[in-house]
């Protein structure tokens, strides 16, 4: 079945440690996204990528980094600079339509819950 | 600026009651898209519907219906004869013609259906 796989489901980070969240999709989507979800705050965009080897910062990119070396993969690294990393992280993907303003629905993974030890 | 407001933080209804989830949006774009997603306890967001700004027809899909009114910048979601399986957090989202495929989400409405 096609879909988005996020791993691990639960992750714990020690102070001063970088951790990497995995996101893989087999939907052949060009665009991929990372969101952070905190209680009562909805989803906030961290980074997004519309094409391999290119990505843009979202609203809350500080303390995070990404790479897009393959179309299928968009890993997110939570660096030690992110002082409040405890949250639920969601990865999404969508096709990029040839039309300018199609705004295709985003498809989401099951999420990774990150906590501080 | 793009903004989505879901003023209802939590709603509880008894099974078989109808319930309406409100969504109000702000955008300067003339072309934009509105979405509803459902987030069950498992965490994954499930896509429910997409509407573009030129299509104000209401839509019905089984027990779900959506009312889009540009005059009030609202895109409300009604569940008819609610069921326990409808219990989830529901998000409304907006994407504008000048924002690529970047979505702006509301803060969500947590719906609990009591058996």
């Amino acid at each position: 079945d096609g879909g988005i796989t996020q791993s691990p489901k639960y992750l714990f980070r020690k102070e001063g440690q970088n951790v990497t969240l995995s996101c893989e999709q087999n939907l052949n989507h060009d665009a991929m996204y990372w969101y952070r979800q905190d209680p009562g705050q909805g989803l906030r965009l961290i980074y997004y990528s519309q094409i391999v080897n290119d990505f843009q910062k979202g609203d809350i990119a500080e303390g995070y980094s990404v790479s897009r070396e393959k179309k299928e993969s968009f890993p997110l690294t939570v660096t030690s600079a992110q002082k409040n990393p405890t949250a639920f992280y969601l990865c999404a993907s969508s096709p990029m339509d040839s039309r300018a303003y199609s705004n295709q629905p985003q498809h989401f993974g099951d999420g990774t819950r990150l906590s501080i030890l | 600026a793009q903004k989505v407001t879901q003023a209802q933080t939590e709603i509880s209804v008894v099974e078989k009651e109808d319930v309406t989830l409100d969504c109000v949006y702000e955008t300067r774009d003339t072309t934009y898209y509105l979405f509803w997603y459902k987030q069950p306890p498992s965490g994954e967001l499930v896509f429910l519907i997409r509407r573009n700004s030129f299509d104000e027809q209401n839509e019905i899909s089984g027990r779900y219906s959506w009312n889009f009114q540009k005059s009030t910048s609202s895109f409300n979601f009604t569940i008819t004869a609610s069921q326990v399986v409808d219990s989830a957090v529901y998000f409304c989202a907006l994407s504008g013609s000048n924002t690529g495929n970047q979505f702006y989400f509301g803060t969500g409405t947590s719906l609990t259906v009591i058996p």
Side-chain angles (χ1 to χ4, degrees):
Chain A
D1 286 347
I4 300 176
T5 302
Q6 289 188 242
S7 62
K9 197 167 180 66
Y10 299 95
L11 187 58
F12 298 91
R13 195 191 89 168
K14 295 180 180 178
E15 294 288 342
Q17 186 181 48
N18 293 352
V19 292
T20 297
L21 284 60
S22 171
C23 178
E24 303 278 333
Q25 55 101 358
N26 59 5
L27 299 168
N28 199 32
H29 288 168
D30 290 302
M32 297 187 74
Y33 313 81
W34 274 105
Y35 291 92
R36 170 178 170 142
Q37 184 177 15
D38 295 282
Q41 293 194 41
L43 277 70
R44 292 182 291 169
L45 183 64
I46 304 172
Y47 270 98
Y48 65 102
S49 168
Q50 295 180 328
I51 193 170
V52 173
N53 292 323
D54 187 47
F55 46 83
Q56 287 76 41
K57 293 181 178 180
D59 299 322
I60 56 165
E62 186 175 349
Y64 300 97
S65 65
V66 294
S67 64
R68 186 87 186 275
E69 297 176 1
K70 298 186 300 182
K71 186 176 182 178
E72 302 80 17
S73 178
F74 192 41
L76 172 73
T77 296
V78 184
T79 74
S80 57
Q82 172 50 243
K83 297 306 179 187
N84 184 23
T86 298
F88 187 54
Y89 292 87
L90 283 158
C91 179
S93 71
S94 70
M96 292 296 292
D97 201 288
S98 58
R99 293 169 293 171
Y101 309 133
S102 64
N103 300 94
Q104 294 290 328
Q106 295 181 11
H107 300 258
F108 286 81
D110 289 342
T112 293
R113 195 167 297 279
L114 176 62
S115 302
I116 295 295
L117 283 179
Chain B
Q2 320 279 356
K3 184 179 179 182
V4 175
T5 301
Q6 294 180 256
Q8 304 153 308
T9 305
E10 296 181 0
I11 300 177
S12 293
V13 298
V14 176
E15 197 171 22
K16 297 184 183 177
E17 287 184 347
D18 299 347
V19 59
T20 295
L21 310 182
D22 298 333
C23 173
V24 174
Y25 63 91
E26 296 176 29
T27 180
R28 293 180 182 173
D29 292 339
T30 54
T31 302
Y32 53 89
Y33 291 78
L34 295 162
F35 303 80
W36 275 96
Y37 282 84
K38 174 182 180 179
Q39 185 179 39
S42 59
E44 177 185 358
L45 265 74
V46 177
F47 166 68
L48 296 177
I49 189 172
R50 177 184 74 160
R51 300 301 291 223
N52 72 54
S53 51
F54 298 111
D55 183 3
E56 287 193 71
Q57 272 195 326
N58 292 334
E59 184 158 338
I60 298 174
S61 176
R63 295 184 298 106
Y64 295 170
S65 63
W66 291 269
N67 181 274
F68 177 27
Q69 293 193 341
K70 288 180 76 171
S71 60
T72 56
S73 297
S74 65
F75 186 44
N76 297 338
F77 173 30
T78 297
I79 301 174
T80 303
S82 59
Q83 300 176 1
V84 172
V85 293
D86 295 327
S87 296
V89 180
Y90 291 87
F91 290 96
C92 181
L94 166 70
S95 181
S97 56
N98 294 318
T99 63
N101 212 29
Q102 184 169 344
F103 280 26
Y104 295 85
F105 284 86
T107 51
T109 297
S110 177
L111 174 65
T112 300
V113 180
I114 304 167

